[in-house]
């Protein structure tokens, strides 16, 4: 129980609605963890993996229809539709509470309701926000234990300060997609999630609190909640520059955040420090610079495609104390996924729990996958050997550069720098990615995803753009804003840039620009590197590739600028005039 009267009352109300048999307050202790793991294993909710090979690791399968975030069932429930804006699903709060209450009603009979106090950000930091998640899923409790700072210390802090907290109610209910809702009530500081067991829908500290509610609070309180990785690049003199970068899904945020310096430039002695791989909370500090913390405490990464080549740091990190979800389970209770390490196993159980052998095909003659393409692992961030020593620092790290990026086969150059903050906001607001085979829809089709926040902005995106613009004016030294594209292809469809660790070569240029150490070439879209300013030592790609990678095809850019008229029109009259002004400027420069 708790001395915090508002919290006690809210827990009681939720229990009256959901009718659990028991209420358990989570303290975050090791003994409690072991108890819950045993209970989950007994109930079949989790499987204990081979403890010799994967100590502390567990396995979980979600329901078959519950394997990814369900954006069409995710709502921003503000009093008016206008507050949710043109890009969000909206439901009036009264209707939303009523509809979800029907699904929650009595749904925890025979189950336990766990009360999980958690902090996004170091407990007590000026950045941090406290949430309480009520859930009937042990899987959620154990994941929250990895993804957040949680337990007794958080509750004590909340009681001591008698502070506010985000009310997060989660129930599996029937795990029925037709009775699933992910609801955000920004004005009530409340999140309700019902009918799902998939991480992105149910680990409510992550997308729901840290991005949707966080972005709303950020605008009110003068800070920023962004879908960005944070990493530090230490040069041989020991100076560290931190960058924050936003990319849509499937563009390699997690891999970039913990890259290993490539062989060719290893002699330069750079070291990479991982601060976060998904979310950045950023504030202006007394020095007039933008400082960032990663509010999370773990990584919820995509397994398929992760291997010792694409991300050696991560492969080492996930060998212990990791929860695997929807990957292939081998006979020896180890795990595997498509695009993972080692030979393809000869058999096992697939993510749906069926016996699996390589080469099997389904009724549509498609291969049956061992792991779901969105199979995940949840791993403590401290397992990553490149973890920053400033994780618990209350003021975070100072950001030198903000980087936006997307997957563009021909348009965007490898890297360019915006002319100034306002132009950089335009670059972020218009960023886009081409669909890959992993997404439903026409391959190559361009999907615009402003600041990679389209599914995560908890209020009107026009006001979000306005907030970005205003933040620039409040900083005496704002970060420089860049755009990168690791995915440019040549005429025959081959990638021009090797990516992965080699991306450090581009980051090196970005940092030199931030330090005003080198000049650059001015083009209609921004500043690009002089060809020789990207260090290509030891990189065995034709020199002319750099020329192609930095080429700006004005005809393509004119088309791009024209397509932005339609995109901007979709935001209506509230779109900040500064963005229209930037578009007009781009068109003029292209003429
Ligand atoms: C995402 C994630 O969906 O980080 O963006 O899981
Ligand atoms: Mn993400």
């Amino acid at each position: 129980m708790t001395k915090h009267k508002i919290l006690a009352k809210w827990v009681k109300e939720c229990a009256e609605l959901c009718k659990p048999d028991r209420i358990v307050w989570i303290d975050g202790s090791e003994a409690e963890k072991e108890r819950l793991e045993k209970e989950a294993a007994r109930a079949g909710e989790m499987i204990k993996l081979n403890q010799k090979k994967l100590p502390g690791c567990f396995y979980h399968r979600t329901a078959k229809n519950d394997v990814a975030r369900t954006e069409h069932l995710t709502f921003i429930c503000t009093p008016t539709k206008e507050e949710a804006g043109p890009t969000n699903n909206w439901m009036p709060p009264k209707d939303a509470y009523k509809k979800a209450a029907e699904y929650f009603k009595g749904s925890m009979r025979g189950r336990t309701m766990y009360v999980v106090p958690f902090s996004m950000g170091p407990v007590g930091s000026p950045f941090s926000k406290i949430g309480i998640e009520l859930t009937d899923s042990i899987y959620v409790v154990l994941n929250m234990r990895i993804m957040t700072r949680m337990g007794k210390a958080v509750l004590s802090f909340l009681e001591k300060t008698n502070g506010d907290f985000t009310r997060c109610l989660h129930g599996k209910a029937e795990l029925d997609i037709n009775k699933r809702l992910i609801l955000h009530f920004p004005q009530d500081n409340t999140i309700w999630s019902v009918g799902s067991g998939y991480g992105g829908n149910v680990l409510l500290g992550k997308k729901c609190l840290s991005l949707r509610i966080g972005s709303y609070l950020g605008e009110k309180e003068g800070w920023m909640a962004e879908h960005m990785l944070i990493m530090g690049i230490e040069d041989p003199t020991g100076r560290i520059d931190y960058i924050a970068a936003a990319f849509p899904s499937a563009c390699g945020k997690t891999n970039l955040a913990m890259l290993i310096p490539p062989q060719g430039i290893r002699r330069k002695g750079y070291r990479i420090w991982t601060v976060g791989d998904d979310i950045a909370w950023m504030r202006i500090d007394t020095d007039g610079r933008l400082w960032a913390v990663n509010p999370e405490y773990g990584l919820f990464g995509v397994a398929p495609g992760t291997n010792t080549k694409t991300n050696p740091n991560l492969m080492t990190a996930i060998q212990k104390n990791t929860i695997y979800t929807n990957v292939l389970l081998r006979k020896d209770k180890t795990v595997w996924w498509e695009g993972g390490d080692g030979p393809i196993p000869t058999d096992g159980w697939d993510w749906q729990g069926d016996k699996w052998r390589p080469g099997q095909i389904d009724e549509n003659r498609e291969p049956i996958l061992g792991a779901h393409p969105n199979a995940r692992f949840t791993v403590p961030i401290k397992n990553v050997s490149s973890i920053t020593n400033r994780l618990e620092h209350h003021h975070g790290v100072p950001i030198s550069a903000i980087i936006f990026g997307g997957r563009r086969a021909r348009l965007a150059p490898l890297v360019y720098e915006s002319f100034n903050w306002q132009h950089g906001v335009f670059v972020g607001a218009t960023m886009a990615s081409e669909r890959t085979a992993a997404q439903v829809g026409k391959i190559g089709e361009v999907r615009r995803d402003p600041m990679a926040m389209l599914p995560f902005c908890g209020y009107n995106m026009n006001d979000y753009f306005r907030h970005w613009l205003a933040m620039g004016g409040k900083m005496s030294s704002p970060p420089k804003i860049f755009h990168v594209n690791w995915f440019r292809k040549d005429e025959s469809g081959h990638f021009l840039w090797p990516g992965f660790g080699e991306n450090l070569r581009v980051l090196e240029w970005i940092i030199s620009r931030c330090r005003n150490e080198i000049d650059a070439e001015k083009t209609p879209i921004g500043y690009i590197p002089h060809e020789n300013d990207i260090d290509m030592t030891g990189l065995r790609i034709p020199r002319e590739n750099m020329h192609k990678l930095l080429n700006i095809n004005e005809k393509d850019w004119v088309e791009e600028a024209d397509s932005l008229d339609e995109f901007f029109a979709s935001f209506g009259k509230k779109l900040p005039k500064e963005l229209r002004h930037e578009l007009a400027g781009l068109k003029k420069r292209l003429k």
Side-chain angles (χ1 to χ4, degrees), residues 69 71 198-200 206-207 211 227 247-250 253-254 277-279 296 300-302 374 376 452 455-456:
R69 284 183 292 102
E71 288 179 17
Y198 169 73
K206 193 173 180 62
K207 303 300 188 184
L211 289 178
H227 191 197
F247 306 123
S249 63
K253 240 162 68 232
T254 305
D277 80 323
D278 196 39
I279 297 173
E296 303 191 279
F300 181 59
V302 178
N374 193 32
R376 298 274 177 154
F456 306 120

Side-chain angles (χ1 to χ4, degrees), residues 150-188:
M150 59 92 99
K152 209 160 137 194
V154 179
L155 183 60
S156 304
F157 182 80
L158 184 66
E159 288 174 337
K160 203 169 70 209
T161 52
N162 199 26
D164 194 16
F165 59 95
T166 307
R167 294 142 184 78
C168 307
L169 174 61
H170 165 249
K172 291 184 284 188
E174 295 168 48
L175 290 176
D176 177 351
I177 192 158
N178 298 311
K179 295 182 184 170
R180 181 175 302 159
L181 286 170
I182 322 298
L183 306 173
H184 305 75
F185 304 89
Q187 279 84 355
D188 300 346

Side-chain angles (χ1 to χ4, degrees), residues 415-436:
V415 57
Y416 66 100
E417 178 190 329
S418 65
F419 295 119
N420 51 45
W421 181 268
Q422 177 172 302
H423 178 234
V425 176
F426 169 80
V427 170
T430 55
M431 70 187 245
S433 224
E434 283 146 17
R435 271 184 219 277
T436 65

Side-chain angles (χ1 to χ4, degrees), residues 253-545:
K253 240 162 68 232
T254 305
N255 293 343
L256 186 65
M258 55 196 78
L259 71 75
I260 297 209
Q263 197 60 46
I265 57 169
R266 200 157 289 169
R267 65 179 163 79
K268 286 186 162 177
Y270 284 108
R271 291 194 71 166
I272 300 300
W273 299 110
T274 306
V275 184
D277 80 323
D278 196 39
I279 297 173
W281 280 0
M282 305 195 285
R283 261 174 208 279
I284 303 170
D285 213 323
T286 45
D287 60 356
R289 294 186 69 188
L290 194 62
W291 287 65
V293 300
N294 167 17
E296 303 191 279
Y297 217 34
L299 314 174
F300 181 59
V302 178
T306 302
N307 59 53
T308 308
K309 266 210 181 121
T310 58
N311 198 332
N313 265 337
L314 191 52
M315 282 309 291
T316 306
I318 61 179
Q319 302 307 310
K320 62 175 187 198
N321 301 331
T322 296
I323 300 175
Y324 292 93
T325 303
N326 291 344
V327 297
L328 180 96
L329 181 64
R330 285 162 151 158
K331 271 203 181 128
D332 67 350
K333 297 257 175 71
T334 60
V335 290
W336 181 83
W337 48 82
E338 282 74 14
D341 276 345
I344 301 175
T346 48
D347 59 7
W349 291 271
D350 67 17
W351 67 275
Q352 310 197 52
D354 296 327
K355 272 260 174 220
W356 183 89
R357 267 178 291 105
Q360 285 174 306
I361 48 169
D362 66 13
E363 59 280 8
N364 301 319
R365 311 198 66 73
E366 297 286 343
I368 296 178
L369 298 175
H372 186 274
N374 193 32
R376 298 274 177 154
F377 43 76
T378 322
V379 58
I381 196 162
K382 285 189 174 162
N383 275 18
V384 177
S385 61
S386 57
I387 187 66
T388 173
N389 62 6
R390 295 176 73 102
L391 192 66
E392 307 294 349
H393 196 291
H394 281 200
H395 288 243
V397 297
I399 298 297
S400 303
I402 287 177
I403 303 176
F404 296 118
R407 191 180 268 275
R408 302 299 296 264
R410 44 187 280 184
L411 183 81
L414 178 62
V415 57
Y416 66 100
E417 178 190 329
S418 65
F419 295 119
N420 51 45
W421 181 268
Q422 177 172 302
H423 178 234
V425 176
F426 169 80
V427 170
T430 55
M431 70 187 245
S433 224
E434 283 146 17
R435 271 184 219 277
T436 65
Q439 292 152 314
V440 183
K442 205 167 132 220
I443 293 178
E445 190 179 65
V446 171
R447 182 187 189 230
R448 297 219 176 263
D449 185 356
M451 282 84 173
M453 279 290 279
L454 197 62
F456 306 120
C457 180
Y459 62 110
N460 190 314
M461 202 130 212
N462 286 310
D463 293 325
Y464 169 81
F465 292 146
R466 203 161 281 113
H467 181 45
W468 260 88
L469 291 163
M471 287 294 286
K474 291 182 193 158
M475 284 178 263
S476 52
S477 13
K480 290 191 183 218
I481 302 181
F482 298 81
H483 185 282
V484 298
N485 176 22
W486 316 131
F487 301 96
R488 198 155 180 177
K489 290 184 174 167
D490 65 14
E491 312 72 37
S492 41
H494 297 119
F495 286 115
L496 285 161
W497 181 248
F500 300 107
E502 309 294 349
N503 293 338
L504 179 60
R505 299 169 191 269
V506 176
L507 300 184
E508 185 182 39
W509 180 79
I510 287 175
I511 288 164
S512 302
R513 289 292 294 164
C514 292
R515 295 181 179 180
N516 297 316
E517 286 171 357
I518 48 171
D519 61 7
E521 190 181 327
K522 194 168 183 187
T523 77
I525 66 161
Y527 297 108
I528 62 167
H530 294 303
E531 257 177 60
N532 290 330
D533 281 348
I534 303 246
D535 188 344
M536 301 282 275
T537 314
L539 198 55
R540 271 196 272 155
I541 60 170
R543 193 70 225 182
E544 78 247 28
N545 276 20

Side-chain angles (χ1 to χ4, degrees), residues 133-167:
E133 179 158 353
L134 307 182
T135 177
D136 56 357
S137 158
I138 298 183
Y139 171 75
V140 168
V141 178
L142 291 172
N143 273 275
M144 287 297 282
R145 202 175 189 281
I146 296 175
M147 294 304 295
T148 71
R149 289 130 171 123
M150 59 92 99
K152 209 160 137 194
V154 179
L155 183 60
S156 304
F157 182 80
L158 184 66
E159 288 174 337
K160 203 169 70 209
T161 52
N162 199 26
D164 194 16
F165 59 95
T166 307
R167 294 142 184 78

